[in-house]
Amino acid sequence: GQQLNQSPQSMFIQEGEDVSMNCTSSSIFNTWLWYKQDPGEGPVLLIALYKAGELTSNGRLTAQFGITRKDSFLNISASIPSDVGIYFCAGQGGGADGLTFGKGTHLIIQP
Amino acid sequence: NAGVMQNPRHLVRRRGQEARLRCSPMKGHSHVYWYRQLPEEGLKFMVYLQKENIIDESGMPKERFSAEFPKEGPSILRIQQVVRGDSAAYFCASSRSGYANIQYFGAGTRLSVL
């Protein structure tokens, strides 16, 4: 089946620092999505990307859909305490109806 | 995840019992997806349903698991004769239409099998 490699697995940063995480796949996806999950809750959509090369921002978040359609990155600028959580990339397409998720990046912010 | 309602939030079952998880999609959404999440893992797709039809069940275990989305009422994920390995968080998502449409998630049901 399709697999996504998400890195890094965890990040320990200082408040105010910028964050970067990425996902790669051996398969092509038509849509890339980035979700954030807080403990005990479901994933909440942050950014959706529909076209290869697309760069999209949502406040302090910026994400890009790779040209090859096999990768995506998410950047968070000037991190704040409420950014703590698990960030998941997800790909859609390639013949599958469901989303294929990465294993997540745990973001921990040290005051 | 506002709007997708899952219940119960927590469910405890003994081995051999049945578990029924319910999901009401967002208003206006007729497509439902079920995912399973093990600790420290991402979500794994299980099944995709449209009203009264199973569209894709490629992620469903072959035995003991079933799903339905009747014309009236919520979607149900049913696990018969639960085993300890079924302990996980089960998430439902809904979308307005299929393929390439944004999926919005509920808060999940955490199943614990004793």
Side-chain angles (χ1 to χ4, degrees):
Chain A
Q2 298 169 319
Q3 288 187 334
L4 291 183
N5 297 310
Q6 185 171 349
S7 65
Q9 189 174 359
S10 57
M11 301 184 73
F12 294 81
I13 63 167
Q14 301 283 339
E15 185 178 345
E17 286 186 18
D18 296 343
V19 171
S20 184
M21 59 191 79
N22 68 83
C23 273
T24 60
S25 169
S26 56
S27 305
I28 288 174
F29 288 105
N30 298 323
T31 304
W32 280 92
L33 304 158
W34 286 92
Y35 288 87
K36 179 175 183 266
Q37 186 177 27
D38 291 326
E41 298 296 327
V44 175
L45 181 67
L46 299 174
I47 291 181
L49 301 155
Y50 299 102
K51 293 182 189 176
E54 178 182 357
L55 184 71
T56 297
S57 292
N58 178 8
R60 294 177 296 106
L61 277 61
T62 302
Q64 184 158 32
F65 191 148
I67 290 290
T68 64
R69 293 165 62 195
K70 292 183 178 181
D71 63 301
S72 177
F73 72 73
L74 174 71
N75 288 340
I76 306 172
S77 62
S79 57
I80 59 177
S82 62
D83 291 335
V84 165
I86 306 176
Y87 292 79
F88 290 99
C89 61
Q92 186 171 39
D97 292 300
L99 297 175
T100 300
F101 278 82
K103 290 194 173 184
T105 295
H106 292 243
L107 181 61
I108 297 149
I109 298 177
Q110 299 164 329
Chain B
N1 53 350
V4 179
M5 302 301 294
Q6 287 188 250
N7 66 83
R9 289 294 304 271
H10 300 275
L11 183 60
V12 179
R13 285 289 178 264
R14 296 190 182 279
R15 280 180 297 170
Q17 290 184 322
E18 178 179 286
R20 280 186 178 239
L21 289 62
R22 288 178 291 277
C23 169
S24 295
M26 282 180 70
K27 188 176 180 180
H29 288 192
S30 59
H31 298 250
V32 165
Y33 311 78
W34 286 94
Y35 293 81
R36 176 163 62 178
Q37 185 178 33
L38 296 172
E40 306 300 319
E41 294 285 329
L43 283 70
K44 294 284 196 291
F45 168 73
M46 298 179 75
V47 62
Y48 162 38
L49 310 103
Q50 200 180 349
K51 280 289 186 181
E52 300 185 275
N53 291 307
I54 295 175
I55 308 299
D56 180 354
E57 56 182 350
S58 58
M60 284 280 268
K62 294 288 185 272
E63 297 176 348
R64 301 188 297 108
F65 284 71
S66 62
E68 62 178 12
F69 188 15
K71 188 176 180 181
E72 301 291 336
S75 175
I76 306 285
L77 180 67
R78 182 181 177 209
I79 310 172
Q80 295 178 287
Q81 299 175 328
V82 296
V83 300
R84 289 222 173 101
D86 296 333
S87 296
Y90 291 84
F91 290 96
C92 165
S94 74
S95 66
R96 186 174 298 279
S97 62
Y99 188 71
N101 221 258
I102 297 295
Q103 295 179 27
Y104 296 90
F105 284 82
T109 294
R110 275 126 190 101
L111 173 65
S112 296
V113 180
L114 304 179

